[in-house]
Amino acid sequence: MTNVALANEVEQLKAAALGYEARHVPVANFSYPPGVRMAVNFTLDFDAMLARRLANEPPMQRAKGEFGGRIGIWRLLEMYEAHGIKVTVFTPGRICELYPEALKRAAGAGHEIADHMWEHQVPKDKALEENHLLKTIAALERVTGRRPVGTRSEHSPALLCREGFIYNSSTSCAYTPLYQDDENGANRLLQLPVHFAIDDAMYFSANWAGSKTSSQRLLDPDEVFEMWWSAFWHQYKINGYLNFMLHPFVSGRASRVDMLERLIVAMKKLPGVWFPTCEELARHSLSQRPL
């Protein structure tokens, strides 16, 4: 590569980086409610076997997903409710057909039900994408009695804004709430960042998504407890934020529910830890600096 070509490539990369940065806007002077030092969102990606179906995994792998709908989701909801914690359940619209009673139970107990696509994918065709989102909104509203305002997806920001969504929770580009614009600098949404470091599938992923033996992990829950406590403690010291991304078919196993409960008990011993739903945190953030 010539010096001129290299310089041009560097300039293109700089322009792309600056453009990306311009689309991500911090919530200026963000602060929590009085008495709160840190917010912790517990979120459940309740997609059961849908992701495994899309990956065309064998029946025994799909059955692991079904465990989440039959048992895991119920165990987790019961544990969270015992500690007075409301969670956000990100769920595909099709789960309303497969496990409606679980969603009714969650909504009835005051947990937030949010969008996670129609069947765990966003179609490339724009008309079909719109169809999927509208079907999901209608299904969730029909089952829970409330229209969703949050999503964990790659749906078009323009479409999400048009349908009244106020936040997305799909980026890992920051560790606190921020605003994100689309490629045209419009259709701003609040983002509540997640990270794979606090995603249960990264630690309990034997045969996850057709993974090869060399890339499989099945950690002891005590090991994961130590890593997640370390992540929490770091954020607690800096008045930060954590968004736990959990899956009922993964964390709904008894030993992992127990680990999560021990984590919650330890967190609650410290002053100023707030456990809002994603919607609660989003509305607080928007009150700090409206869109």
Side-chain angles (χ1 to χ4, degrees), residues 22-202:
R23 292 174 47 217
H24 296 79
V25 182
V27 182
N29 302 314
F30 176 80
S31 63
Y32 288 121
V36 173
R37 178 178 181 131
M38 176 184 178
V40 177
N41 283 143
F42 280 105
T43 68
L44 305 179
D45 279 15
F46 183 31
D47 43 52
M49 77 297 292
L50 289 179
R52 295 175 179 274
R53 283 182 177 177
L54 291 173
N56 197 30
E57 294 196 345
M60 286 302 292
Q61 296 306 319
R62 298 182 197 181
K64 292 181 181 180
E66 289 186 26
F67 174 88
R70 297 178 184 275
I71 299 172
I73 185 72
W74 301 91
R75 282 178 174 171
L76 287 165
L77 291 176
E78 181 178 334
M79 183 273 291
Y80 283 119
E81 288 159 17
H83 290 277
I85 292 176
K86 304 299 187 214
V87 304
T88 296
V89 181
F90 290 102
T91 189
R94 287 216 58 212
I95 294 296
C96 294
E97 301 173 351
L98 298 166
Y99 300 108
E101 294 307 315
L103 292 179
K104 290 177 183 177
R105 162 76 163 71
H111 302 290
E112 178 192 2
I113 311 299
D115 166 70
H116 195 37
M117 301 159 284
W118 172 246
E119 53 181 3
H120 209 268
Q121 64 179 347
V122 175
K124 296 186 183 300
D125 179 83
K126 292 301 181 183
L128 186 57
E129 178 195 359
E130 179 180 22
N131 173 268
H132 276 207
L133 182 61
L134 294 180
K135 283 197 301 185
T136 299
I137 292 170
L140 294 181
E141 188 170 16
R142 183 171 60 252
V143 169
T144 69
R146 193 166 183 270
R147 189 180 177 92
V149 297
T151 185
R152 177 166 284 161
S153 72
E154 297 301 322
H155 273 301
S156 158
L159 184 58
L160 291 169
C161 288
R162 191 195 77 185
E163 294 303 320
F165 285 83
I166 63 171
Y167 78 86
N168 199 338
S169 181
S170 63
T171 187
S172 298
C173 69
Y175 67 93
T176 55
L178 74 158
Y179 296 122
Q180 183 173 353
D181 300 336
D182 65 15
E183 309 81 35
N184 300 313
N187 297 301
R188 178 169 293 184
L189 280 169
L190 184 76
Q191 277 279 0
L192 299 179
V194 294
H195 195 276
F196 288 126
I198 43 178
D199 174 353
D200 57 0
M202 299 300 104

Side-chain angles (χ1 to χ4, degrees), residues 249-269:
F249 70 85
V250 177
S251 285
R253 298 289 175 178
S255 62
R256 299 166 193 167
V257 176
D258 178 67
M259 180 271 287
L260 287 167
E261 186 166 31
R262 287 188 285 120
L263 191 65
I264 288 168
V265 169
M267 291 176 180
K268 291 175 76 173
K269 290 180 180 178

